[in-house]
Amino acid sequence: MYINQSQLTDEKQLSEASKEQAERFDVAMIGLGYIGLPTAAVIARAGLSVRGVDISERIVDLVNQGKVHIQETDLDALVKNVVTDGMLTASTEPPVADIYLIAVPTPFGEDKSPDVSMVLDAARLIAPVLPVGGCVILESTSPVGTTQQVAGVLAEMRPDLAIPGHCGDKAPDVHIAYCPERVLPGKIIEELVANDRVVGGMTKACARHAQEFYTRFVRGDCIETSAGVAEMVKLTENSFRDVNIAFANELSLVAEHMGIDVWEVIRLANRHPRVNVLQPGPGVGGHCIAVDPWFLVSSAPEQARLIRTAREVNDAKPEHVIGRLNAMLAAAPDAKIALLGLAFKPNIDDFRESPALEIAQRIASEHGGRVLVVEPYTDELPAAMAGSGAVLTTYDKAMAEAELVGVLVDHDAFRSAPRYLSAGKIVYDTRGMWAQ
Ligand code: SAJ
């Protein structure tokens, strides 16, 4: 428990308190994953002392050595610098800090309902050390109402503190806010600084306090609102994108059914000043767009009909692609197929929740030795494909051997490869990479 100086009675307590004061940090980042670690490093670069906290000792050890456990543009050099400068350290234990940021996963369960248990565990971790004047900010994508739940945990565990929403007319002792991350994997360091932030407080004073903190390292506008609005803003952003991608994916099925080139349709439709159709693909991957809309559906199942349908349209796309590739393989029984790309989107090495990987795994499990996989962002096939008979190879070799091609990811490396190498092949291009 955080010790208030005025409550100290003997020398032992005094020395413990001064040690604690010496270890007081500007910021504690709870969760050192894809968002937490880059955010911690960017804040440390801005001159604030940051203690990263993670349940994984491996991650804590790596960070303390100035190393990273994830791939993200410019992250390794940044972490090395801030750790060397002593501005970022890591531990499995939460420290006393002025600002606590929570960036832990919020997955969904079998029934697609959100699981905020890791957020609430983070609040339980913070509660014992939260000082008077401290501020807790949730950044994890969360269903509306989660920030209030965090406040509830803190109020229950710290009856000595006046917690916003739980202290009646009394002035709160701490601030609690919600500020969603909205950075794009591959551009996280850049967007952490450049993007606008929406800062939602449990009270106006909470929003103001948190907003002032973000202006220390964010160049974009930091806009104050309520916690509930900020929570829904984040879900709205990713649902908007999912619905728009679903429109493009559905359009690709409609056009395919009618024998029309969807890429040409979209290119020409987008010449209308108020039309901007997104790009169809093999499905929607990653850990955000395919998950977050369910948080809205779960909160308002009767009302969120379009959002639910968009999820279903996008989730069904990989199966359609598998069907098309299987048909190509059946029609040319002696031919090999080159599958281009495994990542969940172009130009990154992130294969988690990747529709391309799901498709390649299924095709490899059914056609093994006929499958040549090209993925410049890995040195070996993922474990699930090992033993299938599929081979990881280069673009040039795949094009020399395969008569069939399935484009699953439009990495720049594929776009810039000589087109004549794929001339004369039977191609199923889920990304429109070779569209005219
Ligand atoms: N995709 C398409 N067609 C498109 C655009 C995307 O099929 O026209 C696919 C991609 O290939 C990928 C998936 O959608 O499989 C998601 O990719 P993305 O680039 O749309 O989004 P993420 O998941 O990398 O990041 C998103 C971003 N949200 C928005 O753009 C509204 C990012 O700003 C968020 O911070 C992030 O989710 C997050 O963490 O929530």
Side-chain angles (χ1 to χ4, degrees):
M1 165 97 52
Y2 177 70
I3 301 169
N4 187 319
Q5 291 278 356
S6 63
Q7 293 166 348
L8 298 174
T9 49
D10 62 25
E11 241 175 61
K12 184 165 167 274
Q13 276 179 311
L14 258 174
S15 79
E16 273 175 13
S18 51
K19 193 170 145 222
E20 202 170 61
Q21 282 304 123
E23 287 186 347
R24 183 169 177 144
F25 291 82
D26 294 325
V27 177
M29 169 57 78
I30 314 296
L32 292 175
Y34 274 81
I35 297 299
L37 182 56
T39 307
V42 164
I43 296 170
R45 182 178 64 185
L48 300 173
S49 61
V50 183
R51 167 62 60 87
V53 180
D54 202 285
I55 50 172
S56 160
E57 287 191 11
R58 184 183 76 87
I59 292 175
V60 165
D61 288 347
L62 275 175
V63 171
N64 281 328
Q65 292 168 42
K67 296 181 181 157
V68 298
H69 62 102
I70 48 177
Q71 291 288 332
E72 177 58 39
T73 314
D74 297 336
L75 182 65
D76 42 1
L78 177 58
V79 167
K80 191 167 175 238
N81 283 346
V82 290
V83 170
T84 307
D85 292 349
M87 298 309 290
L88 173 64
T89 54
S91 168
T92 52
E93 297 296 327
V96 177
D98 293 335
I99 304 272
Y100 292 86
L101 295 177
I102 301 176
V104 296
T106 45
F108 58 52
E110 289 276 302
D111 60 350
K112 313 278 190 204
S113 65
D115 173 4
V116 297
S117 58
M118 282 182 254
V119 169
L120 302 183
D121 284 347
R124 287 184 198 104
L125 193 72
I126 293 166
V129 288
L130 178 64
V132 171
C135 177
V136 179
I137 306 172
L138 177 59
E139 288 207 355
S140 311
T141 303
S142 301
V144 174
T146 309
T147 311
Q148 275 186 7
Q149 283 185 265
V150 167
V153 168
L154 298 176
E156 199 183 310
M157 291 183 67
R158 291 295 299 274
D160 58 314
L161 290 178
I163 301 290
H166 295 264
C167 55
D169 293 338
K170 216 172 152 212
D173 286 326
V174 298
H175 296 291
I176 302 175
Y178 180 77
C179 180
E181 61 79 16
R182 26 169 42 176
V183 287
L184 201 67
K187 293 173 77 179
I188 291 181
I189 305 288
E190 180 191 328
E191 292 203 354
L192 270 172
V193 176
N195 289 2
D196 292 350
R197 299 296 294 247
V198 176
V199 190
M202 286 283 295
T203 64
K204 283 198 166 135
C206 292
R208 171 53 48 91
H209 191 85
Q211 191 263 3
E212 279 167 7
F213 162 67
Y214 281 100
T215 57
R216 304 273 308 260
F217 63 97
V218 172
R219 233 185 15 247
D221 293 339
C222 300
I223 303 146
E224 294 168 46
T225 183
S226 66
V229 167
E231 287 164 338
M232 187 149 165
V233 164
K234 171 68 190 187
L235 302 179
T236 301
E237 291 165 0
N238 282 354
S239 299
F240 171 86
R241 193 150 169 87
D242 196 46
V243 168
N244 280 280
I245 297 169
F247 178 77
N249 276 334
E250 184 164 294
L251 207 60
S252 74
L253 300 182
V254 172
E256 200 174 292
H257 177 71
M258 299 194 299
I260 300 276
D261 179 351
V262 72
W263 311 103
E264 191 176 3
V265 169
I266 292 174
R267 184 163 45 82
L268 298 181
N270 283 350
R271 294 183 77 105
H272 184 288
R274 285 175 294 284
V275 172
N276 184 15
V277 180
L278 293 185
Q279 298 301 300
V284 168
H287 345 286
C288 311
I289 308 261
V291 175
D292 305 351
W294 287 118
F295 292 10
L296 283 180
V297 175
S298 175
S299 296
E302 296 292 319
Q303 291 76 15
R305 290 186 300 159
L306 176 64
I307 299 169
R308 178 203 299 273
T309 304
R311 275 285 68 247
E312 289 166 355
V313 167
N314 286 333
D315 273 355
K317 193 74 195 286
E319 203 55 48
H320 175 80
V321 176
I322 289 165
R324 287 297 309 264
L325 296 177
N326 271 331
M328 277 163 61
L329 282 151
D334 298 325
K336 289 192 173 179
I337 187 164
L339 296 179
L340 304 187
L342 296 175
F344 90 83
K345 63 180 190 172
N347 307 321
I348 59 170
D349 65 352
D350 193 342
F351 303 159
R352 296 172 306 159
E353 319 299 333
S354 168
L357 180 62
E358 181 188 339
I359 293 161
Q361 272 172 8
R362 278 276 295 287
I363 298 297
S365 73
E366 288 168 32
H367 304 278
R370 294 175 67 192
V371 180
L372 305 166
V373 177
V374 187
E375 177 48 85
Y377 285 90
T378 187
D379 296 331
E380 55 183 358
L381 281 181
M385 292 173 81
S388 66
V391 178
L392 182 72
T393 186
T394 61
Y395 179 87
D396 289 13
K397 282 187 185 156
M399 290 304 153
E401 276 188 55
E403 284 171 37
L404 314 174
V405 180
V407 179
L408 303 179
V409 187
D410 49 338
H411 289 310
D412 285 350
F414 299 150
R415 282 187 180 278
S416 57
R419 182 73 173 91
Y420 67 85
L421 289 176
S422 59
K425 315 238 177 251
I426 298 168
V427 176
Y428 186 62
D429 182 356
T430 69
R431 300 277 186 172
M433 182 170 83
W434 288 324
Q436 297 305 311

